[in-house]
Amino acid sequence: MGQQEKVSTSLAGAVAEDISASLAPVDAELARRYPGDPGTRQPVHTVYVPGDAFDAGTVRSWGDQALAALDEHAPDAATLARVLGLPADLAEAVYSRVRAKLEREPVEDLRVDFEDGYHGRDEDADAARAARLVSEAYAAGTAAPYTGIRMKCMEAAVRDRGIRTTDVFLTGLMEHGGLPGGLVLTLPKVTYPEQVTAFVRLLEAFEKTHRLDAGRIGFEIQIETSQAILAADGTATVARMIDAAAGRATGLHYGTFDYSACLGVSAAHQASDHPAADHAKAIMQVAAAGTGVRVSDGSTNVLPVGGTERVHEAWRLHYGLTRRALARAYYQGWDMHPGHLPTRYAAVFAFYREGMEAAAARLAAYVARTEGDIMDEPATAKALSGYLLRGLDCGALDDAEVARLTGLTRAELDAFARPRRGDLTATAR
């Protein structure tokens, strides 16, 4: 053994102690504001159905309509691959998984809509009926994994109606067995952080009335106005909204058409890939990073209906927009029509399957500390494992194939994807 190197220091231990003491408030603030990803599944999409049209068969109906669209317009893997430009080696795996998904779990996240899409005449009755049907679906095991409502916003003209519908729906859930684990609420057209604070007060009052745990009910904030991105004083309003939610915000959802219209974008150019949309979503993404709040893209209003040529054209558009969003780390979006489901899942499954082997190899090499043509950082290992976990959650990948390629269990993948703060160098083994 060689001679042990002498180690000398010049500073007293009290210096480090004083520095740590001075930074204790910052440490606490970092932990509070940036807890990291919650470690739960994020749905790949949100489907919304008007409150007056929602019924017990909605989820299954969407799946059946999507399967019928496949049967009519892409009856085999080769046809779908030709329409979407899928690589030949992925076509069969993607197509078979899309069909299986539509049969097993066609909708991952369902929002019963009492805002723009609602045209019913008795909102109280429709909200109460929605609560009963949602409760029955969860009890029967037929509900989408995540389900809830989008109520009217906190603006003066509709505020009382939005508050009442929220109360009727949540009270109905309590009367029919309690709040389901997959409950999600969406607060639309938020312009000021104070509107978020007001919604928090509403949920706090409901929890107190029903003796629920404080913070039990979370909600998404829908970004549909320019003021939600940039306030009059030049600050990023969306960051202040996350803070105003006091830990209840679960997501930021981009509203393609309301936001575009707010900026004066003409109807023909209102789309999720417009530069105005990219700017808003980039601000949302930065504001949400590390907070545990997920981001979601908007939707396209080009529906895959009509003749086969028209459907194929709409499918190519939707597929391309979905792939574009995935590459930009927007892992969720809104779907407007059952015909969007085949291309939603085709895009998502192709995205994860085409990158699976490379991501698994890089992660396995990182674990083994072997050398390759790419030197990965601990943060990249976190991203690689997160990528594989998202693929597993939606059904694009199988546990067995990921375990075979990485040599890691699901628990070990979780440990890489969600390390403790300041511990990105920790390994799963």
Side-chain angles (χ1 to χ4, degrees):
M1 295 179 62
Q3 183 178 357
Q4 187 173 2
E5 198 71 31
K6 179 183 178 182
V7 177
S8 302
T9 62
S10 300
L11 302 176
V15 174
E17 292 174 4
D18 288 345
I19 290 173
S20 292
S22 71
L23 288 175
V26 173
D27 295 338
E29 186 77 347
L30 279 171
R32 182 183 73 82
R33 289 185 180 273
Y34 302 103
D37 189 87
T40 56
R41 172 185 179 183
Q42 181 180 9
V44 302
H45 70 168
T46 300
V47 162
Y48 74 87
V49 176
D52 50 323
F54 174 66
D55 61 34
T58 291
V59 170
R60 188 61 263 154
S61 174
W62 272 61
D64 290 343
Q65 290 179 69
L67 284 167
L70 270 182
D71 290 339
E72 181 175 358
H73 304 294
D76 52 51
T79 303
L80 189 66
R82 185 172 62 254
V83 172
L84 303 180
L86 286 171
D89 60 336
L90 284 179
E92 190 59 51
V94 168
Y95 188 81
S96 62
R97 286 171 185 270
V98 168
R99 292 197 68 93
K101 181 74 170 181
L102 296 175
E103 292 167 355
R104 176 180 56 85
E105 188 183 74
V107 175
E108 291 195 358
D109 185 25
L110 176 68
R111 208 68 72 250
V112 183
D113 189 25
F114 289 96
E115 204 232 354
D116 285 348
Y118 179 72
H119 302 291
R121 297 183 178 181
D122 190 342
E123 191 161 334
D124 277 357
D126 287 335
R129 182 174 59 88
R132 174 178 58 80
L133 292 174
V134 168
S135 296
E136 290 173 354
Y138 272 106
T142 58
Y146 297 93
T147 306
I149 64 168
R150 179 172 71 166
M151 69 294 295
K152 290 177 173 62
C153 68
M154 283 288 164
E155 293 179 355
V158 294
R159 181 183 305 139
D160 288 347
R161 182 65 261 180
I163 290 172
R164 182 172 176 84
T165 295
T166 304
D167 187 9
V168 170
F169 179 72
L170 293 177
T171 299
L173 292 178
M174 294 299 296
E175 291 174 346
H176 293 285
L179 305 183
L183 174 66
V184 187
L185 304 178
T186 302
L187 180 65
K189 293 183 176 60
V190 184
T191 303
Y192 283 81
E194 289 81 0
Q195 293 168 327
V196 175
T197 300
F199 198 62
V200 169
R201 289 181 59 192
L202 171 63
L203 299 180
E204 286 176 340
F206 187 88
E207 289 167 349
K208 184 175 180 180
T209 298
H210 290 274
R211 299 181 180 179
L212 298 171
D213 292 339
R216 165 65 180 83
I217 309 172
F219 61 96
E220 301 163 337
I221 301 169
Q222 198 159 11
I223 306 301
E224 301 177 272
T225 67
S226 60
Q227 296 90 345
I229 296 297
L230 190 68
D233 62 1
T235 60
T237 317
V238 65
R240 294 168 56 205
M241 289 176 179
I242 292 174
D243 191 51
R248 293 178 185 265
T250 59
L252 301 174
H253 286 233
Y254 177 67
T256 304
F257 306 106
D258 282 288
Y259 187 87
S260 299
C262 185
L263 268 62
V265 178
S266 63
H269 297 284
Q270 293 177 0
S272 62
D273 59 351
H274 190 281
D278 284 342
H279 172 261
K281 289 184 286 186
I283 300 298
M284 291 164 57
Q285 196 167 41
V286 172
T291 65
V293 178
R294 269 77 176 265
V295 292
S296 174
D297 199 1
S299 60
T300 176
N301 60 357
V302 178
L303 304 184
V305 296
T308 294
E309 184 177 349
R310 184 182 180 94
V311 169
H312 285 179
E313 183 179 350
W315 274 355
R316 280 190 288 269
L317 173 65
H318 186 242
Y319 179 86
L321 290 173
T322 302
R323 288 300 305 261
R324 184 180 189 273
L326 290 167
R328 287 159 174 75
Y330 264 75
Y331 299 114
Q332 184 176 356
W334 282 60
D335 289 328
M336 302 280 287
H337 187 273
H340 284 142
L341 299 187
T343 38
R344 170 67 61 183
Y345 291 123
V348 170
F349 292 172
F351 176 76
Y352 290 112
R353 292 205 66 78
E354 69 186 17
M356 172 183 63
E357 292 190 3
R362 286 175 65 180
L363 186 57
Y366 177 84
V367 173
R369 294 295 193 272
T370 59
E371 294 185 4
D373 58 356
I374 299 177
M375 177 89 54
D376 283 322
E377 298 285 342
T380 303
K382 174 182 177 181
L384 290 168
S385 56
Y387 171 88
L388 295 171
L389 285 168
R390 288 180 183 278
L392 289 169
D393 284 342
C394 69
L397 311 178
D398 295 331
D399 287 323
E401 62 185 346
V402 171
R404 173 177 56 81
L405 291 169
T406 62
L408 300 173
T409 65
R410 174 67 188 245
E412 290 171 327
L413 284 173
D414 279 327
F416 273 110
R418 300 159 184 122
R420 296 169 297 176
R421 174 168 295 281
D423 194 25
L424 280 175
T425 57
T427 62
R429 292 180 171 176

